[in-house]
Amino acid sequence: MIFDDKVALTLAEKLLQIKAIKLQAHKPFKWASGWNSPIYCDNRVTLSYPDLRTYIKKHLAQLISDRFPDVQLIMGVATAGIAQGALVAEYLGLPFAYVRPEPKKHGMGKQIEGRVEIGQRVVLIEDLVSTGKSCIKTFSALEEAELELLGTAAIFSYGFEQARENFKNAGSIYYSLSDYNALLKIALQNGDIKEADLALLNEWRNAPEVWGR
């Protein structure tokens, strides 16, 4: 779910400007899952732009303060959520830790890095929510550590119905600063895509597993 419509549009425009997001309706990207996709998103690029990095940090912090006011601990989802989460934790004056989708296969075999305490109320930070599976894989580690997950805050989401269902089935919720709908609106407005491309681009979001085959 989107936190603020104005922020969603502003951020989508900024992500397009720095090419953190690329749209190619007719030359799709190939995901590791084998899905074809008209969009490539790498929000780690935002860390190289101080003004944008600050914009994201402040609005993630605002989202968390508004939707999860009882938060006691910020946790980044490895790896892309680590830097973003640390920035937000610093801004909010809260402790920070991070969690891997699975335990390390060497050393202490930890899945959670950082000091956590039983009963702490946690918000996870993700850079991107697609199906939500990578984030949801961390929930069992939080439960094992006896942490209380309030929800997830992300920079961007594709808005898949599958993601909403996955989080719902896991008994959780997520919010994002911007999403695919906002992106298409801004991209059309700025001439990055054509009106004729909209139907094709919307088809992808509705059935990504078969799109472009």
Side-chain angles (χ1 to χ4, degrees):
M1 287 185 283
I2 286 298
F3 171 61
D4 181 283
D5 290 338
K6 183 178 179 181
V7 171
L9 293 171
T10 300
L11 182 55
E13 185 166 26
K14 291 176 182 292
L15 293 174
L16 281 169
Q17 285 173 349
I18 67 166
K19 295 182 169 53
I21 289 181
K22 298 178 182 179
L23 275 173
Q24 295 181 180
H26 302 287
K27 291 183 178 180
F29 302 96
K30 181 74 73 174
W31 285 1
S33 62
W35 289 7
N36 292 314
S37 171
I39 181 173
Y40 180 79
C41 181
D42 181 6
N43 290 320
R44 288 167 294 195
V45 175
T46 64
L47 296 167
S48 299
Y49 295 82
D51 288 346
L52 179 52
R53 185 175 68 211
T54 299
Y55 182 87
I56 290 170
K57 173 184 67 178
K58 287 183 175 180
H59 285 287
L60 280 174
Q62 182 183 353
L63 186 165
I64 291 166
S65 296
D66 187 90
R67 294 293 189 264
F68 309 113
D70 296 329
V71 63
Q72 296 173 313
L73 172 68
I74 300 296
M75 295 189 74
V77 178
T79 57
I82 295 175
Q84 304 288 357
L87 288 168
V88 172
E90 174 68 18
Y91 188 78
L92 290 173
L94 290 172
F96 175 75
Y98 71 85
V99 57
R100 300 181 179 89
E102 57 186 34
K104 284 178 69 175
K105 292 182 169 57
H106 58 279
M108 298 294 291
K110 289 184 178 181
Q111 189 166 356
I112 292 176
E113 298 285 359
R115 181 79 63 183
V116 300
E117 299 177 7
I118 290 174
Q120 276 183 306
R121 295 184 290 272
V122 177
V123 172
L124 289 175
I125 300 293
E126 269 279 29
D127 73 321
L128 172 68
V129 171
S130 54
T131 64
K133 289 182 179 179
S134 62
C135 185
I136 290 168
K137 281 180 69 175
T138 69
F139 290 2
S140 58
L142 305 187
E143 185 176 354
E144 187 176 329
E146 298 184 59
L147 300 171
E148 181 185 346
L149 176 61
L150 300 180
T152 299
I155 296 173
F156 191 85
S157 67
Y158 292 139
F160 293 150
E161 182 60 32
Q162 183 179 351
R164 283 187 284 270
E165 287 298 316
N166 286 341
F167 274 89
K168 181 179 178 181
N169 292 338
S172 192
I173 190 170
Y174 80 90
Y175 292 92
S176 63
L177 295 183
S178 190
D179 68 358
Y180 192 65
N181 282 339
L183 181 74
L184 293 187
K185 186 172 183 178
I186 287 295
L188 182 62
Q189 177 182 304
N190 291 352
D192 294 306
I193 60 173
K194 299 177 182 178
E195 186 80 40
D197 295 330
L198 277 179
L200 180 63
L201 290 165
N202 278 314
E203 283 174 13
W204 171 75
R205 200 256 313 277
N206 295 331
E209 67 277 6
V210 298
W211 187 85
R213 292 185 180 178

